[in-house]
Amino acid sequence: INASTNNPELVNMVAAFCMRKAGGVANPLGSNLANIYLMYLVAPLFVVMRWKLKGDTERLQRFKELIRTERKLIYQHLGMAFLMFAFSIAGFWVLTASHPFGGLTEGVQIQPGSFLIAAAVICVIGIVAFQYWNKRLQERDPELFEAIDDEEHTESWGQFIGGTIGLVLSSFAVNWLFLAWTEIYQAHLTVVLGAAIFTGLHYFVGALITSLPEMNVAVEGYSKATRADLNTALSAASVSNMTNLAIAVLGILMIIVLRAVGVELGL
């Protein structure tokens, strides 16, 4: 469930590449930050406030008890989500010789081939570390993965095809919007995002937009207040962050291939 919510990051990145903008790879890397504050702060606060406004003290109390008894599981997911974020920051730094916070400098650019490979390797190490932890978790507590309520998830080719077309068109629209903002608001955005405005927009704004499906999963999981659904809600950040690293690896490989055939990408 949580891996499939990363499709917007993938399509948004590819759409940017189609416009010859390597800065699109900042979208999955930036989503690792957006996932943390959306899934671990915004989503649970939204659920709790909704119950408080409705006066549903029973569900609120049950949720608080679940949080208390499953603190170890929560800390594990938090730790893995932040670890994946650390790998994404390291990969971004090797990829651009810079970091996204404080604004990208004037001379920032995608680094030569050896650095691209190093950035991909860093992301792969993060993926392997997560898979090892996730496998151990499944072995220790298989009920967390077997008792997920999936009655609301139905199969529909029509919805899949329609949703995919809508996602592709929306991704191109977002990238065109970012290109327009880069030109129109260059003076103002440079102060906030640095010289590589398009990349900064993907990292902070695009990542926020493409992380909304994960937040929806988290809200649904927290709302059901069961162990399995809590695990799914927490995974909306940890699993998705790992998947974002995989998307970044794919993006880096695409940059290498495009460079090899003579296609230069700008940030």
Side-chain angles (χ1 to χ4, degrees):
I1 293 172
N2 285 306
S4 66
T5 59
N6 290 80
N7 290 336
E9 284 88 349
L10 173 61
V11 178
N12 217 29
M13 180 186 71
V14 174
F17 288 170
C18 291
M19 299 177 179
R20 296 197 172 192
K21 288 288 187 178
V25 75
N27 193 291
L29 294 175
S31 289
N32 280 12
L33 172 62
N35 284 344
I36 290 173
Y37 63 77
L38 285 177
M39 266 48 83
Y40 296 150
L41 289 176
V42 178
L45 285 175
F46 174 81
V47 171
V48 168
M49 290 304 299
R50 185 173 61 183
W51 285 337
K52 283 189 174 182
L53 290 173
K54 290 181 177 180
D56 196 341
T57 56
E58 181 182 349
R59 296 182 71 180
L60 184 59
Q61 188 60 38
R62 190 167 73 247
F63 181 69
K64 289 180 178 179
E65 180 64 19
L66 180 65
I67 296 298
R68 188 185 67 80
T69 57
E70 297 298 331
R71 283 181 296 180
K72 182 178 179 181
L73 178 66
I74 293 171
Y75 291 150
Q76 286 181 322
H77 277 286
L78 275 169
M80 292 309 299
F82 275 101
L83 181 62
M84 297 301 102
F85 171 63
F87 275 107
S88 70
I89 285 291
F92 189 94
W93 182 79
V94 174
L95 190 64
T96 63
S98 183
H99 62 83
F101 303 101
L104 297 170
T105 60
E106 184 69 34
V108 68
Q109 60 182 351
I110 296 294
Q111 296 300 296
S114 58
F115 289 92
L116 288 172
I117 295 173
V121 169
I122 289 173
C123 293
V124 169
I125 293 173
I127 295 169
V128 172
F130 180 88
Q131 292 294 348
Y132 174 77
W133 168 80
N134 193 51
K135 182 179 180 181
R136 292 289 302 274
L137 180 62
Q138 291 184 28
E139 291 173 349
R140 290 195 303 267
D141 200 344
E143 290 185 1
L144 285 174
F145 303 87
E146 295 173 354
I148 298 174
D149 180 12
D150 60 353
E151 292 180 357
E152 298 178 4
H153 303 283
T154 57
E155 298 178 0
S156 172
W157 278 105
Q159 290 181 356
F160 173 75
I161 295 172
T164 301
I165 293 174
L167 176 59
V168 171
L169 293 177
S170 298
S171 295
F172 274 98
V174 166
N175 278 278
W176 286 323
L177 182 63
F178 286 174
L179 288 174
W181 286 358
T182 300
E183 295 293 329
I184 299 172
Y185 304 110
Q186 182 176 7
H188 300 289
L189 291 176
T190 301
V191 177
V192 180
L193 301 175
I197 297 173
F198 185 82
T199 302
L201 286 171
H202 261 280
Y203 192 92
F204 294 104
V205 181
L208 172 61
I209 295 171
T210 56
S211 292
L212 294 179
E214 285 95 329
M215 182 176 170
N216 182 58
V217 170
V219 168
E220 289 185 4
Y222 288 131
S223 298
K224 294 175 182 177
T226 67
R227 290 188 71 241
D229 289 302
L230 174 65
N231 184 55
T232 302
L234 296 169
S235 298
S238 58
V239 172
S240 294
N241 280 8
M242 180 275 298
T243 308
N244 282 327
L245 291 182
I247 294 172
V249 171
L250 177 61
I252 293 169
L253 294 178
M254 290 178 67
I255 293 173
I256 294 174
V257 170
L258 289 171
R259 280 186 170 182
V261 297
V263 178
E264 285 298 325
L265 304 175
L267 281 175

